[in-house]
Amino acid sequence: MARYTGAVCKLCRREGKKLFLKGERCYTGKCALERRSYAPGQHGQSRKKPTEYGLQLRAKQQAKRYYGIPEKQFYKYFLMAERKQGVTGENLLQICESRLDNVVYLLGWANSRAEARQLVNHGHYKVNGKRVSIPSYLIKAGDEVAIADKSKESEKIKATIAAMGSKPVPQWLDRNDDTLTGKVLALPTREQIEVPVEEHLIVELYSK
């Protein structure tokens, strides 16, 4: 599967908002968006009046980049969201939030979603007692996520937990720091999802 390998700070600058793609760095003065708040490239500082299509496209790109999801998979999630009962835009974000790599990040077991994807790929986490190495695996309400026994001794995992352990978890998740497990209490509502995007614009774009 193709993945973006360029400078991720440029993505935040292009969208004009923090997408928190580099973990703790995004909260410091080293954040590229704080130093250069304009878009990258030769014409980055020029002012253009956004079109309706432009606003819809930017909303889609922001959501994709926030979660690190390629276009083909993101559109697949949109089709899934359309088939579910409820508001399509909210369903779409709920599906993205329930990805295993995102849950691992929200539990404070990775510095960023990109790092969470890598750690999941390497088999460091279990879901309901079974090792899962697919970052896009969709978690359901009631599922338990845990750090694999051997991975608990990893210096990398220990350092990440020490750095991120004080990070609060969303209301729809529960973390047990003693057993290094987390439980999905329920799938998140829109009010519990912090993604900085207007999802109705994404629905408008894909519905054309």
Side-chain angles (χ1 to χ4, degrees):
M1 182 178 68
R3 60 189 178 91
Y4 179 78
T5 58
V8 295
C9 289
K10 285 186 176 181
L11 301 181
C12 294
R13 290 177 57 204
R14 177 62 186 90
E15 303 307 332
K17 61 178 66 174
K18 288 189 179 187
L19 302 178
F20 301 99
L21 302 177
K22 297 204 75 171
E24 290 299 300
R25 182 188 177 96
C26 300
Y27 297 94
T28 69
K30 294 182 180 180
C31 175
L33 187 63
E34 292 189 6
R35 291 183 291 159
R36 291 175 291 178
S37 58
Y38 50 88
Q42 181 180 359
H43 305 291
Q45 299 187 62
S46 61
R47 296 184 177 181
K48 297 179 181 179
K49 185 177 180 181
T51 62
E52 180 183 0
Y53 172 78
L55 292 173
Q56 295 168 350
L57 178 63
R58 292 270 58 84
K60 175 177 73 75
Q61 295 295 84
Q62 287 167 17
K64 279 174 49 185
R65 290 167 174 174
Y66 186 80
Y67 291 109
I69 303 173
E71 173 64 33
K72 186 176 181 180
Q73 192 168 41
F74 194 73
Y75 183 63
K76 176 184 174 182
Y77 288 162
F78 170 76
L79 296 179
M80 289 172 58
E82 270 194 323
R83 292 192 293 267
K84 292 179 62 177
Q85 290 185 342
V87 181
T88 300
E90 295 181 9
N91 290 341
L92 174 61
L93 295 184
Q94 188 181 76
I95 292 170
C96 294
E97 283 284 301
S98 61
R99 284 171 55 101
L100 179 57
D101 56 357
N102 184 68
V103 171
V104 165
Y105 169 70
L106 293 178
L107 287 170
W109 295 342
N111 289 301
S112 65
R113 287 177 176 82
E115 183 178 83
R117 279 192 295 278
Q118 184 181 52
L119 293 173
V120 172
N121 271 324
H122 291 171
H124 289 293
Y125 304 100
K126 298 188 295 184
V127 179
N128 298 328
K130 296 183 179 179
R131 193 183 296 266
V132 178
S133 59
I134 303 172
S136 61
Y137 180 88
L138 297 180
I139 299 295
K140 300 181 291 295
D143 283 353
E144 182 180 83
V145 182
I147 298 177
D149 293 336
K150 289 185 178 180
S151 302
K152 293 177 182 178
E153 304 304 318
S154 165
E155 294 302 321
K156 170 63 177 176
I157 299 292
K158 287 181 178 179
T160 301
I161 293 175
M164 303 289 287
S166 59
K167 175 184 174 183
V169 299
Q171 294 179 345
W172 57 282
L173 294 174
D174 180 60
R175 181 182 65 203
N176 188 318
D177 293 327
D178 295 327
T179 59
L180 295 180
T181 60
K183 187 168 184 178
V184 181
L185 303 177
L187 292 181
T189 63
R190 182 60 183 99
E191 292 73 23
Q192 296 171 325
I193 299 175
E194 298 181 355
V195 56
V197 69
E198 297 178 79
E199 64 275 9
H200 69 276
L201 295 176
I202 303 174
V203 176
E204 292 173 4
L205 178 66
Y206 278 141
S207 299
K208 289 183 176 179

